[in-house]
Amino acid sequence: MRYCRIKDVMTREVVRVEGETPFKQVALLLSDNGISGLPVVDDEEKVVGVISATDLLQRQAQQVEGHGRRHVRRPRLTRSARTAAAKARATTADHLMSRPAITATSDDYVTEAAQLMRNHRVERLPVVDDMGRLVGIVTRGDLLRVFLRTDEDIRREVTRRVAQGLDVPRYVVDVGIDAGVVTLRGHLERRDDVELAARIAGHVDGVVAVTNQLTHRPNSARPRSVLEPSSHM
């Protein structure tokens, strides 16, 4: 997934709210559009926070926890518990949202977006321009789309990239593929080229794994400086 950029998979028409948007309006937007979260922007369209359906559910959770327990001594609240309690009392987007927003740019790689989502435990990233203004949104589902490419489409790209990276005719390396698993066959001059071919194939969007069956001439491990192919979807 190295070469695909966020701009190739992001949604450009984004449902968004401003800080003063009422709680009920936020809930309606999420429900009517079938989404589980949205960005909050200021009057310059700069992203200032993100709201998820979980943020809205804090109110119901708080009501259930508090029902019939007014005289129960409560433990000292942690920082996360205090944040949840504040969201349970929120009446506008400004108090519902999580801030600062974790964002990405359209030229970031999908791998970078995936790392951000994993590290920050979020399911969506607002996409911003160099001024911090909202230009799109990317979700986990969008990132998974790279694995929906057909085997034939992947095979053609692997063939092209390997030939370019090794500076050899395309027929030199035979590329087979089944359910995203690429198999490389053929005979190359250098052991380094065999390893490089596998690395290049593994970086193509949609490749699940690479089985390297390439062979090379004995005692041919001379180092060679070859750049990997540039990014072109």
Side-chain angles (χ1 to χ4, degrees):
M1 291 169 55
R2 178 172 177 180
Y3 294 108
C4 185
R5 296 182 186 268
I6 291 175
K7 62 186 175 186
D8 299 313
V9 297
M10 73 180 189
T11 299
R12 299 178 185 274
E13 297 296 325
V14 186
V15 179
R16 85 284 306 275
V17 295
E18 296 182 344
E20 62 271 22
T21 303
F23 180 103
K24 276 201 168 183
Q25 182 63 27
V26 175
L28 282 171
L29 285 170
L30 293 178
S31 177
D32 291 348
N33 290 280
I35 54 179
S36 60
L38 47 73
V40 183
V41 299
D42 63 16
D43 55 6
E44 295 181 345
E45 284 292 297
K46 293 183 179 180
V47 177
V48 294
V50 175
I51 295 175
S52 72
T54 302
D55 295 326
L56 277 72
L57 292 175
Q58 295 288 356
R59 177 182 293 276
Q60 288 183 319
Q62 189 83 352
Q63 289 173 340
V64 171
E65 291 174 0
H67 182 66
R69 299 178 59 187
R70 293 184 180 180
H71 302 294
V72 176
R73 186 177 180 180
R74 297 179 183 277
R76 189 173 182 178
L77 293 178
T78 63
R79 181 178 179 183
S80 61
R82 289 196 299 270
T83 299
K87 289 184 178 182
R89 298 189 298 270
T91 58
T92 63
D94 184 55
H95 295 99
L96 275 171
M97 69 183 182
S98 298
R99 67 178 88 188
I102 308 302
T103 63
T105 70
S106 60
D107 284 328
D108 289 342
Y109 292 112
V110 294
T111 45
E112 295 172 308
Q115 289 170 355
L116 278 173
M117 289 182 184
R118 180 190 62 195
N119 294 342
H120 293 278
R121 297 180 180 179
V122 296
E123 297 183 359
R124 67 196 57 77
L125 296 173
V127 184
V128 299
D129 63 15
D130 55 4
M131 298 294 290
R133 294 172 300 204
L134 183 68
V135 296
I137 196 164
V138 64
T139 67
R140 289 182 179 181
D142 295 327
L143 301 187
L144 291 174
R145 281 166 49 192
V146 299
F147 290 110
L148 301 181
R149 300 177 68 185
T150 66
D151 279 353
E152 180 56 25
D153 186 28
I154 297 171
R155 188 194 66 78
R156 285 195 299 265
E157 185 171 353
V158 171
T159 300
R160 177 175 61 82
R161 288 191 184 278
V162 169
Q164 288 178 346
L166 301 183
D167 193 23
V168 297
R170 295 190 181 190
Y171 61 79
V172 171
V173 176
D174 178 66
V175 179
I177 185 167
D178 181 23
V181 179
V182 169
T183 300
L184 303 178
R185 299 183 180 88
H187 184 79
L188 299 173
E189 290 293 311
R190 302 175 178 84
R191 186 176 67 194
D192 288 348
D193 288 352
V194 171
E195 296 170 354
L196 178 57
R199 290 201 304 272
I200 294 172
H203 286 158
V204 170
D205 301 327
V207 171
V208 175
V210 177
T211 300
N212 193 352
Q213 297 182 2
L214 290 167
T215 60
H216 60 86
R217 291 181 58 188
N219 303 319
S220 58
R222 290 184 303 168
R224 147 175 159 163
S225 177
V226 178
L227 296 177
E228 292 188 12
S230 58
S231 171
H232 293 292
M233 286 299 294

